[in-house]
């Protein structure tokens, strides 16, 4: 009887690792439900090349002591400065 | 026809960790009884309308209803004196672990906020004709632990169908008050319009924490969480503590079932063993017992690795400042 050797050998292709794959799939399913929240998402120091610095730079937060003194007035406004969105659609010509 | 005149009521939860038994696992039942007795005296004297005492792990919460408004020195002073007396007369006598550990100063200065130790969540509002309240308390975690569930409740239509199908909520959504606990700054952002910005911030739950949420159409306050600015000591931010929160439900706010739904997913939170140097799942936990006569509820223990982090939910119905209930909701 001939046994054909083939290199390289796929070492994880063994029933011994089936459980690990299942567990990883369960963890994936579990942790994906956390969305963009730590600790599934990395801490801010690791997020320099994402939108976080941009978000922070355009928001204008209120110092908390000042806020607490005049809360009823401040809650009428958002501290975001989003520009107006385009509301007209493409023209139908 | 009898006209319904809304009553302005303040609901205050003030909580502290004054010593555990054994270690950080549980609270000494005598401490709960002592607190309930003191609050009963104040109810008789007229300072309080109603009260309830409960624990999660080694954290004891004093739930009080009154008409004194938020940050009232009499209410805060009462809580402080209860924690102090319980520490001196019970916790230290039986040498509870960490006796008095949450009482960082010896003297009370009129307000519990600002680094004294105990945590506060207060909300003053006009009672609606029906006023269901859900009170949350967690142990072995941090206030940011509620970021993800509260976002789900008030901004995620896949959790809260009412955001789509209830006209009162569909009309504008909710305004989130987020506190940067490092720099002491407040962000006010709306869902759904600023959802992505909200998530960009609250995705760092150690720093940007949801404190209050308002319904945008009329600025009715829907929730409050105990969150304080942290203290920068020797280059580190310290002062994170287990959160308590109050959520008003139904009638143009998320239903109780929608509020609870968000906690069905036990997301990973910071906390657990050794002052929060780990990450673990936030487990919705049952109360051990609820005694409506004596107004005491005994909450879950902390066991595996001093945890896992747990959250309890107590359902009350508020009427004229009186608390009907609670029902354990988890």
């Amino acid at each position: 009887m001939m046994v054909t050797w083939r290199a390289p050998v796929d070492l994880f292709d063994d029933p011994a690792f089936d459980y690990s794959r299942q567990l990883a799939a369960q963890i994936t399913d579990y942790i994906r439900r956390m969305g963009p929240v730590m600790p599934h998402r990395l801490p801010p120091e690791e997020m320099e090349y994402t939108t976080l610095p941009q978000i922070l730079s355009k928001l204008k937060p209120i110092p908390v002591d000042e806020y607490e003194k005049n809360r009823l007035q401040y809650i009428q406004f958002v501290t975001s400065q989003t520009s107006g969105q385009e509301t007209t659609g493409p023209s139908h010509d | 026809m009898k006209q319904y005149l809304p009553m302005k009521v303040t609901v205050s939860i003030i909580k502290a960790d004054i010593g555990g038994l054994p270690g950080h696992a549980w609270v000494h039942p005598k401490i709960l009884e002592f607190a309930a007795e003191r609050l009963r005296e104040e109810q008789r004297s007229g300072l309080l309308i109603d009260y309830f005492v409960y624990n999660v792990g080694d954290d004891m919460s004093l739930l009080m209803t009154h008409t004194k408004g938020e940050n009232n020195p009499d209410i805060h002073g009462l809580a402080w004196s209860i924690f102090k007396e319980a520490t001196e007369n019970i916790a230290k006598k039986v040498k509870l672990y960490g006796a008095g550990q949450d009482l960082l100063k010896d003297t009370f200065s009129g307000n519990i906020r600002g680094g004294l130790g105990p945590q506060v969540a207060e909300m003053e509002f006009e009672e609606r004709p029906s006023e269901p309240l859900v009170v949350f308390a967690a142990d072995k975690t941090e206030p940011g632990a509620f970021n993800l569930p509260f976002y789900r409740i008030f901004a995620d239509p896949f959790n809260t169908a009412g955001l789509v199908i209830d006209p009162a909520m569909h009309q504008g959504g909710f305004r989130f008050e987020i506190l940067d606990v490092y720099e002491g700054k407040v962000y006010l952002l709306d869902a759904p319009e600023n959802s992505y910005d909200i998530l960009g911030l609250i995705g760092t739950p150690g720093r940007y924490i949801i404190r209050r949420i308002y319904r945008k159409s009329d600025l009715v306050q829907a929730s409050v969480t105990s969150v304080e600015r942290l203290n920068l000591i020797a280059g580190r931010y310290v002062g994170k503590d287990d959160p308590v929160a109050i959520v008003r439900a139904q009638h143009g706010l998320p239903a109780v079932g929608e509020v609870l739904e968000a906690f069905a997913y036990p997301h990973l939170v910071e906390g657990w063993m050794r002052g929060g140097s780990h990450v673990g799942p936030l487990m919705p936990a049952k109360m051990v017992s609820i005694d409506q006569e004596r107004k005491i509820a005994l909450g879950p223990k902390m066991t595996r690795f001093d945890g896992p982090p747990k959250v309890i939910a107590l359902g009350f119905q508020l009427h004229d400042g009186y608390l009907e209930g609670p029902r354990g909701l988890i």
Side-chain angles (χ1 to χ4, degrees), chain A residues 6 12 18 66 71 74 89:
Chain A
R6 270 214 252 143
F12 287 143
D18 283 347
E66 166 67 27
R71 180 160 39 115
Y74 278 115

Side-chain angles (χ1 to χ4, degrees), chain B residues 11-17 35 39 48 52-54 59-66 69-83 102-103 108 110-113 116-122 135 137 226 242-246:
Chain B
V11 180
S12 302
I13 308 180
I14 305 186
K15 83 128 207 143
D17 176 353
L39 293 177
L48 302 177
F52 202 84
V53 179
Y54 60 93
D59 274 341
M60 174 171 72
S61 284
L62 310 176
L63 168 60
M64 298 171 279
T65 61
H66 54 93
E70 296 174 26
N71 295 312
N72 180 274
D74 295 331
I75 301 292
H76 284 220
L78 168 62
W80 177 261
S81 72
I82 290 176
F83 294 135
D102 247 9
L103 305 181
F108 175 68
N111 190 299
I112 274 189
R113 290 201 152 83
L116 269 185
Q119 299 290 296
V120 183
E122 291 185 298
V135 164
S226 59
D242 311 297
V244 289
I246 306 165

Side-chain angles (χ1 to χ4, degrees), chain A residues 73-86:
Chain A
Q73 277 152 307
Y74 278 115
I75 60 173
Q76 299 182 49
F77 307 100
V78 284
T79 53
S80 167
Q81 280 191 323
T82 46
S83 54
Q85 304 243 336
E86 285 297 300

